[in-house]
Coordinates of all heavy atoms in Angstrom, one line a residue:
L1 N 0.8 -1.2 0.0 CA 0.1 0.0 0.0 C 0.9 1.3 0.0 O 1.9 1.3 0.8 CB -0.9 0.1 1.2 CG -1.7 1.3 1.5 CD1 -2.9 1.4 0.4 CD2 -2.3 1.2 2.9
T2 N 0.5 2.3 -0.8 CA 1.3 3.5 -0.8 C 0.3 4.5 -0.7 O -0.7 4.7 -1.3 CB 2.0 3.7 -2.2 OG1 2.9 2.6 -2.4 CG2 2.7 5.0 -2.3
I3 N 0.7 5.5 0.3 CA -0.2 6.7 0.6 C 0.6 7.9 0.4 O 1.8 8.0 1.1 CB -0.8 6.5 2.1 CG1 -1.6 5.3 2.1 CG2 -1.7 7.7 2.3 CD1 -2.1 5.0 3.6
F4 N 0.2 8.9 -0.2 CA 0.9 10.2 -0.3 C 0.2 11.1 0.8 O -1.0 11.3 0.8 CB 0.7 10.8 -1.7 CG 1.3 9.9 -2.7 CD1 0.5 8.9 -3.4 CD2 2.6 10.0 -3.1 CE1 1.0 8.1 -4.4 CE2 3.1 9.1 -4.0 CZ 2.3 8.2 -4.7
V5 N 1.0 11.7 1.7 CA 0.5 12.4 2.9 C 1.0 13.9 2.7 O 2.2 14.1 2.5 CB 1.0 11.7 4.2 CG1 0.3 12.4 5.4 CG2 0.7 10.2 4.2
S6 N 0.1 14.7 3.1 CA 0.4 16.1 3.1 C -0.1 16.8 4.4 O -1.3 16.6 4.7 CB 0.0 17.0 2.0 OG 0.1 18.3 2.0
M7 N 0.6 17.6 5.1 CA 0.1 18.2 6.2 C -0.9 19.3 5.9 O -1.5 19.9 6.8 CB 1.3 18.8 7.2 CG 2.0 19.9 6.6 SD 3.5 20.1 7.6 CE 3.1 21.4 8.7
N8 N -1.0 19.7 4.6 CA -2.0 20.7 4.2 C -3.5 20.1 4.2 O -4.3 20.8 4.1 CB -1.7 21.2 2.8 CG -0.5 22.1 2.8 OD1 -0.1 22.6 3.8 ND2 0.3 22.0 1.7
R9 N -3.5 18.9 4.3 CA -4.8 18.2 4.4 C -5.1 17.9 5.8 O -4.4 17.0 6.5 CB -4.8 16.9 3.5 CG -6.2 16.2 3.6 CD -6.1 15.0 2.7 NE -7.4 14.3 2.9 CZ -8.2 14.0 1.9 NH1 -7.9 14.4 0.7 NH2 -9.4 13.5 2.1
P10 N -6.2 18.4 6.5 CA -6.5 18.1 7.7 C -6.6 16.7 8.0 O -7.3 16.0 7.2 CB -7.8 18.9 8.0 CG -7.7 20.0 7.1 CD -7.0 19.3 5.8
G11 N -6.1 16.2 9.2 CA -6.3 14.8 9.5 C -5.5 13.7 8.8 O -5.7 12.5 8.8
S12 N -4.5 14.2 8.0 CA -3.6 13.4 7.2 C -2.9 12.4 8.0 O -2.8 11.2 7.5 CB -2.7 14.1 6.3 OG -1.8 14.9 7.1
I13 N -2.4 12.6 9.2 CA -1.7 11.7 10.1 C -2.7 10.5 10.4 O -2.4 9.4 10.4 CB -1.0 12.3 11.2 CG1 0.0 13.3 10.7 CG2 -0.5 11.2 12.2 CD1 0.6 14.1 11.7
A14 N -3.9 11.0 10.8 CA -5.0 10.0 11.3 C -5.4 9.1 10.1 O -5.5 7.9 10.2 CB -6.2 10.7 11.8
M15 N -5.4 9.7 8.8 CA -5.8 8.9 7.6 C -4.7 7.9 7.4 O -5.0 6.8 6.9 CB -6.0 9.8 6.5 CG -7.4 10.4 6.6 SD -7.8 11.4 5.1 CE -7.2 13.0 5.5
A16 N -3.4 8.2 7.5 CA -2.2 7.4 7.2 C -2.4 6.2 8.3 O -2.2 5.0 7.9 CB -1.0 8.1 7.5
R17 N -2.7 6.5 9.5 CA -2.8 5.5 10.6 C -4.0 4.5 10.2 O -3.8 3.3 10.4 CB -3.0 6.1 11.9 CG -2.8 5.2 13.1 CD -2.7 6.1 14.4 NE -3.7 7.1 14.5 CZ -3.4 8.5 14.6 NH1 -2.2 8.8 14.5 NH2 -4.4 9.4 14.7
E18 N -5.1 5.2 9.8 CA -6.3 4.3 9.4 C -6.0 3.4 8.2 O -6.4 2.3 8.1 CB -7.5 5.2 9.2 CG -8.1 5.9 10.3 CD -9.1 7.0 10.1 OE1 -9.6 7.0 8.9 OE2 -9.3 7.8 10.9
G19 N -5.2 4.0 7.3 CA -4.8 3.3 6.1 C -3.9 2.1 6.5 O -4.2 0.9 5.9
A20 N -3.0 2.3 7.4 CA -2.2 1.1 8.0 C -3.0 0.1 8.6 O -2.9 -1.1 8.4 CB -1.2 1.7 8.9
R21 N -4.0 0.5 9.4 CA -4.9 -0.5 10.1 C -5.7 -1.3 9.1 O -5.8 -2.5 9.1 CB -5.8 0.2 11.1 CG -5.2 0.6 12.3 CD -6.2 1.1 13.4 NE -5.5 1.5 14.6 CZ -4.9 0.7 15.5 NH1 -5.0 -0.6 15.4 NH2 -4.4 1.3 16.5
A22 N -6.3 -0.6 8.0 CA -7.0 -1.2 7.0 C -6.1 -2.2 6.2 O -6.5 -3.3 5.8 CB -7.6 -0.3 6.0
F23 N -4.8 -1.9 5.9 CA -3.9 -2.7 5.3 C -3.6 -4.1 6.0 O -3.8 -5.1 5.5 CB -2.6 -1.9 5.0 CG -1.5 -2.8 4.5 CD1 -1.5 -3.1 3.1 CD2 -0.5 -3.3 5.2 CE1 -0.4 -3.9 2.6 CE2 0.6 -4.1 4.7 CZ 0.6 -4.4 3.4
V24 N -3.4 -3.8 7.4 CA -3.1 -5.0 8.2 C -4.4 -5.8 8.3 O -4.3 -7.2 8.2 CB -2.7 -4.6 9.6 CG1 -2.8 -5.7 10.6 CG2 -1.4 -3.9 9.6
E25 N -5.7 -5.3 8.3 CA -6.8 -6.1 8.5 C -7.0 -6.9 7.1 O -7.7 -7.9 7.1 CB -8.0 -5.2 8.7 CG -8.0 -4.7 10.1 CD -9.1 -3.7 10.4 OE1 -10.0 -3.5 9.5 OE2 -9.1 -3.0 11.4
C26 N -6.5 -6.4 6.0 CA -6.7 -7.1 4.7 C -5.8 -8.3 4.4 O -6.0 -9.0 3.5 CB -6.6 -6.1 3.5 SG -8.0 -5.0 3.4
L27 N -4.8 -8.5 5.3 CA -4.0 -9.6 5.2 C -4.6 -10.9 5.5 O -5.5 -10.9 6.4 CB -2.7 -9.3 6.1 CG -1.8 -8.2 5.8 CD1 -0.7 -8.0 6.8 CD2 -1.2 -8.2 4.4
R28 N -4.3 -11.9 4.8 CA -5.0 -13.2 5.0 C -4.7 -13.7 6.4 O -5.6 -14.3 7.1 CB -4.4 -14.2 4.1 CG -5.0 -15.6 4.3 CD -4.8 -16.6 3.3 NE -5.7 -16.2 2.1 CZ -5.7 -16.7 0.9 NH1 -4.7 -17.6 0.7 NH2 -6.5 -16.4 0.0
F29 N -3.6 -13.5 7.0 CA -3.2 -14.0 8.3 C -3.6 -12.9 9.3 O -3.5 -11.7 9.0 CB -1.8 -14.5 8.5 CG -0.8 -13.4 8.3 CD1 -0.3 -12.6 9.4 CD2 -0.2 -13.2 7.0 CE1 0.7 -11.6 9.1 CE2 0.8 -12.3 6.8 CZ 1.2 -11.5 8.0
D30 N -4.0 -13.3 10.5 CA -4.2 -12.3 11.6 C -3.0 -12.0 12.3 O -2.4 -12.9 12.9 CB -5.3 -13.0 12.6 CG -5.7 -12.1 13.7 OD1 -5.3 -10.9 13.6 OD2 -6.2 -12.6 14.7
V31 N -2.6 -10.8 12.2 CA -1.3 -10.3 12.8 C -1.4 -10.1 14.4 O -0.4 -10.1 15.0 CB -0.8 -9.1 12.1 CG1 -0.6 -9.3 10.7 CG2 -1.6 -7.8 12.4
G32 N -2.6 -10.2 14.8 CA -2.9 -9.9 16.2 C -3.0 -8.5 16.5 O -2.5 -7.6 15.9
R33 N -3.8 -8.2 17.5 CA -4.1 -6.8 17.9 C -2.8 -6.0 18.3 O -2.6 -4.8 18.0 CB -5.1 -6.7 19.1 CG -5.4 -5.3 19.4 CD -6.4 -5.2 20.5 NE -6.6 -3.9 20.9 CZ -7.8 -3.2 21.0 NH1 -8.8 -3.8 20.6 NH2 -7.9 -2.0 21.3
K34 N -2.0 -6.6 19.1 CA -0.7 -5.9 19.5 C 0.2 -5.6 18.3 O 0.7 -4.5 18.3 CB 0.1 -6.8 20.4 CG 1.3 -6.2 21.0 CD 2.0 -7.1 22.1 CE 3.3 -6.5 22.5 NZ 4.0 -7.2 23.4
A35 N 0.3 -6.5 17.4 CA 1.2 -6.1 16.2 C 0.5 -5.1 15.3 O 1.1 -4.1 14.8 CB 1.4 -7.4 15.4
A36 N -0.8 -5.2 15.2 CA -1.6 -4.2 14.4 C -1.5 -2.8 15.1 O -1.2 -1.8 14.4 CB -3.1 -4.6 14.3
D37 N -1.5 -2.7 16.4 CA -1.4 -1.5 17.1 C 0.1 -0.9 16.9 O 0.3 0.2 16.8 CB -1.6 -1.6 18.6 CG -3.1 -1.8 18.9 OD1 -3.9 -1.6 18.0 OD2 -3.4 -2.2 20.1
S38 N 1.0 -1.9 16.9 CA 2.4 -1.5 16.7 C 2.7 -0.9 15.4 O 3.4 0.1 15.2 CB 3.4 -2.7 16.9 OG 3.4 -3.1 18.3
V39 N 2.1 -1.5 14.3 CA 2.2 -1.0 13.0 C 1.6 0.5 12.9 O 2.2 1.4 12.3 CB 1.6 -1.9 11.9 CG1 1.5 -1.3 10.6 CG2 2.3 -3.2 11.8

């Protein structure tokens, strides 16, 4: 997954974090909550 992030867009850090969580959730294996939180 590739995300282009700009601080000129409000909430961009939160969106990057949400994108990372969505990416981890789409993996076939369950990485576990602790690892997902770490990512």
Side-chain angles (χ1 to χ4, degrees):
L1 173 70
T2 300
I3 302 173
F4 302 91
V5 186
S6 171
M7 67 195 262
N8 292 333
R9 182 179 175 122
S12 61
I13 297 168
M15 283 188 270
R17 196 170 40 247
E18 290 169 19
R21 285 192 183 280
F23 174 79
V24 168
E25 288 175 12
C26 285
L27 298 176
R28 175 169 285 171
F29 63 87
D30 181 10
V31 302
R33 183 180 173 124
K34 183 177 176 182
D37 289 346
S38 294
V39 169

